[in-house]
Amino acid sequence: ELCDSFFEENEFEIGIVIGWQRLIPQKVLDRFKHGIFGFHASPLGLPFGKGRSPVNWSIIRGYEQVYNHCFQYNANTDDGLIYSTTKLEIYPWDDIGSMKKKSLIDFENAFSRLIKSYENDSLILTEQDKERKETFFPKRKPKDGKIKVKESSTTEIYNLVRGVSKPFPGAFLNHSTGKCTIWNAQPFTKSLFLDSRIGKVVRVFDDDSFVLKTKDSTLLVTDYEGVNIYDGMILR
């Protein structure tokens, strides 16, 4: 009720939103003369990849870029007119943490340009590409970080690990003694441990990193927490 009365009793020129994951009601949007602006990333450009966790999904699905859109909100999901678009590369060594830093820099730059355009009365907005199919990424939950070690390739596991690393809940495997949450890992070798069982810890190093046998090669896990890792243990 306090929020309703605040917007009903005031009028605004322009609004900026970061990190808000819910639709803004039309009655609130209507109180802003030039609209409310926020961001949404898409690996192929809007209207592809609307919805939740687009950068996480872009990494998990192996895309090499996201297009970061500064757009004007309307009452529909990620559906508004676009002010600016920046292509952000997703390098093989990027994870969700480094991509969030890139996005933050783009937020700052785009909002600075947006304010200048507003002050100069030169806001130019464009429609989303109507020829591109509209798609939506689903909401991610912590349980979605479960690594399907018998089904997934090393690359798929690596992409999942870096796509849900800190500050997100992380990718994980289970053991009878508990859960192993993996924060950082990298593809390791195809030529060694050829006859080992999938999911087996085939080597533990003095720095506490370990090598996990995967379906098609191995994964070097360098940052993890949870269970005590030892040679020969099976993670599922």
Side-chain angles (χ1 to χ4, degrees):
E1 293 182 1
L2 288 175
C3 287
D4 287 343
S5 61
F6 174 76
F7 286 110
E8 289 171 359
E9 296 168 5
N10 295 279
E11 293 184 355
F12 309 89
E13 287 289 310
I14 192 168
I16 291 175
V17 172
I18 296 179
W20 186 252
Q21 298 184 1
R22 296 175 178 84
L23 294 177
I24 298 177
Q26 188 64 52
K27 64 181 181 180
V28 174
L29 296 173
D30 290 341
R31 306 303 291 175
F32 290 78
K33 181 179 178 181
H34 295 280
I36 296 177
F37 291 81
F39 271 88
H40 188 81
S42 164
L44 297 178
L46 289 172
F48 180 94
K50 297 180 178 184
R52 301 294 191 98
S53 308
V55 181
N56 305 77
W57 280 114
S58 297
I59 297 171
I60 292 167
R61 294 189 177 179
Y63 287 101
E64 297 180 351
Q65 73 290 314
V66 292
Y67 293 92
N68 215 22
H69 301 287
C70 178
F71 73 104
Q72 185 187 58
Y73 282 32
N74 62 24
N76 299 318
T77 303
D78 305 319
D79 192 49
L81 299 174
I82 293 174
Y83 170 71
S84 69
T85 301
T86 304
K87 180 181 178 180
L88 302 178
E89 302 88 349
I90 303 176
Y91 294 116
W93 52 84
D94 274 318
D95 62 10
I96 189 61
S98 63
M99 291 307 300
K100 284 175 69 67
K101 290 180 173 66
K102 294 180 188 182
S103 296
L104 176 61
I105 295 170
D106 186 45
F107 292 164
E108 295 169 346
N109 293 339
F111 283 145
S112 178
R113 295 193 303 269
L114 177 69
I115 294 301
K116 289 180 181 179
S117 295
Y118 155 70
E119 290 175 339
N120 296 330
D121 196 24
S122 60
L123 277 174
I124 299 175
L125 308 177
T126 59
E127 290 190 358
Q128 297 183 21
D129 186 353
K130 300 301 183 182
E131 295 184 0
R132 187 181 296 278
K133 182 180 179 181
E134 180 184 59
T135 63
F136 290 83
F137 286 124
K139 179 181 179 180
R140 292 195 61 82
K141 300 177 181 179
K143 66 179 183 179
D144 297 327
K146 174 69 172 65
I147 296 170
K148 299 177 181 178
V149 67
K150 291 186 177 181
E151 304 171 21
S152 303
S153 68
T154 301
T155 297
E156 289 170 336
I157 297 172
Y158 174 60
N159 288 343
L160 177 61
V161 169
R162 64 197 187 109
V164 297
S165 192
K166 296 175 182 178
F168 292 88
F172 65 92
L173 287 161
N174 292 321
H175 185 259
S176 59
T177 59
K179 182 169 75 171
C180 177
T181 301
I182 299 175
W183 297 116
N184 195 21
Q186 63 193 61
F188 190 55
T189 178
K190 288 185 178 181
S191 59
L192 303 174
F193 310 110
L194 297 177
D195 298 325
S196 296
R197 177 178 171 182
I198 296 173
K200 183 178 180 179
V201 175
V202 293
R203 179 66 183 267
V204 179
F205 295 101
D206 292 340
D207 61 1
D208 289 331
S209 64
F210 67 91
V211 179
L212 178 73
K213 182 68 175 73
T214 63
K215 183 176 72 171
D216 58 347
S217 60
T218 56
L219 189 77
L220 176 63
V221 179
T222 56
D223 187 10
Y224 63 94
E225 64 181 340
V227 299
N228 293 321
I229 299 295
Y230 57 85
D231 279 320
M233 73 186 299
I234 302 297
L235 297 173
R236 299 177 174 85

